[in-house]
Amino acid sequence: MHVKGKVCVVTGAASGIGEAVARAYAEAGARGVVVADLKASRDRLAKVAGDIDGLVAATEAKYGPVDVFFSNAGLSRKGQETASDADWDVSWRVHVMSHVFAARALVPGMLARGSGYLLNTASAAGLLASLNSMPYGVTKSAAVALAEHLAIQYADRGICVSVLCPQSVQTGMTTPGPSAARVDGVLQPPEVARMVIEAMEAERFLILSHPQVHEYMQRKASGIDRWLTGMRRLRDKTYGIKRSG
């Protein structure tokens, strides 16, 4: 799909990848680009579904049917299984259910028109792992699976589906300190936006910011036990964990 002349919606658009992609859509000649962002306050998360419905309705009232919906909002909560229930819940709502809510609002109209594009941001962590945040890695894995299901159900019915799985990109979520994600370098958001435009033109399902991630996926698939051992070594090397014995 070419963006020129299309109506595009971008969530998580106040900064980072969302902002860069929104600007890229405008530069590519989109007929309308509607941007949205939410503060990550838990008391507002229950309103996410209604907010998305309202966003779609407002966009269609002003510009017409939504052609492209880039569901991009994300957040990071550190910790493993002992992370608080609230942190698990907010990760699930933002990283998974926001995509579900968007699909519920958009799929019927896109099916009726026989065209549309759903582009969801997950993460390379969703394909591999997140060493310092179990809630992040688990919910991003679910986001990848959700995109796969959408593609299976609707890609032959006129709705294009892609999932963006960036590794390290310089955004507001990038924090100082050791990070396994930065092993292959840190990209700038405009670089990722260019990749998104190119992938949409090719209607490619999986969008990787770092080509090395494809190799890591192959290693994981070809030998999961060896891959898990390697990930434990990477964890220890990155975060300075020393094991006794």
Side-chain angles (χ1 to χ4, degrees), residues 152-168:
I152 290 168
Q153 293 299 326
Y154 304 119
D156 58 351
R157 300 172 66 186
I159 302 178
C160 300
V161 179
S162 293
V163 60
L164 172 62
C165 293
Q167 198 164 311
S168 187

Side-chain angles (χ1 to χ4, degrees), residues 90-212:
V90 72
S91 299
W92 178 256
R93 299 279 292 183
V94 172
H95 296 154
V96 184
M97 293 309 297
S98 63
H99 304 317
V100 174
F101 298 146
R104 287 176 181 170
L106 292 161
V107 164
M110 289 181 173
L111 286 177
R113 297 189 298 274
S115 66
Y117 210 120
L118 299 176
L119 173 55
N120 295 348
T121 295
S123 170
L127 301 170
L128 303 169
S130 176
L131 297 181
N132 64 347
S133 175
M134 192 179 290
Y136 186 85
V138 169
T139 55
K140 288 296 189 178
S141 294
V144 173
L146 173 61
E148 291 172 347
H149 279 267
L150 290 170
I152 290 168
Q153 293 299 326
Y154 304 119
D156 58 351
R157 300 172 66 186
I159 302 178
C160 300
V161 179
S162 293
V163 60
L164 172 62
C165 293
Q167 198 164 311
S168 187
V169 181
Q170 188 65 46
T171 71
M173 291 176 60
T174 306
T175 57
S179 171
R182 292 197 279 268
V183 66
D184 296 312
V186 182
L187 298 186
Q188 296 300 315
E191 297 177 83
V192 180
R194 175 184 54 79
M195 296 174 187
V196 167
I197 294 292
E198 292 175 353
M200 290 180 64
E201 291 177 352
E203 298 183 1
R204 188 167 67 247
F205 173 74
L206 182 61
I207 309 174
L208 301 176
S209 63
H210 294 67
Q212 298 91 334

Side-chain angles (χ1 to χ4, degrees), residues 19-67:
E19 177 187 359
V21 170
R23 293 182 182 277
Y25 284 166
E27 291 172 3
R31 183 159 65 93
V33 180
V34 178
V35 295
D37 212 321
L38 289 174
K39 294 180 180 179
S41 55
R42 296 187 183 98
D43 59 342
R44 294 184 64 190
L45 286 174
K47 295 174 54 186
V48 169
D51 288 342
I52 290 176
D53 285 340
L55 177 63
V56 171
T59 300
E60 293 184 340
K62 183 170 183 178
Y63 294 107
V66 174
D67 299 298

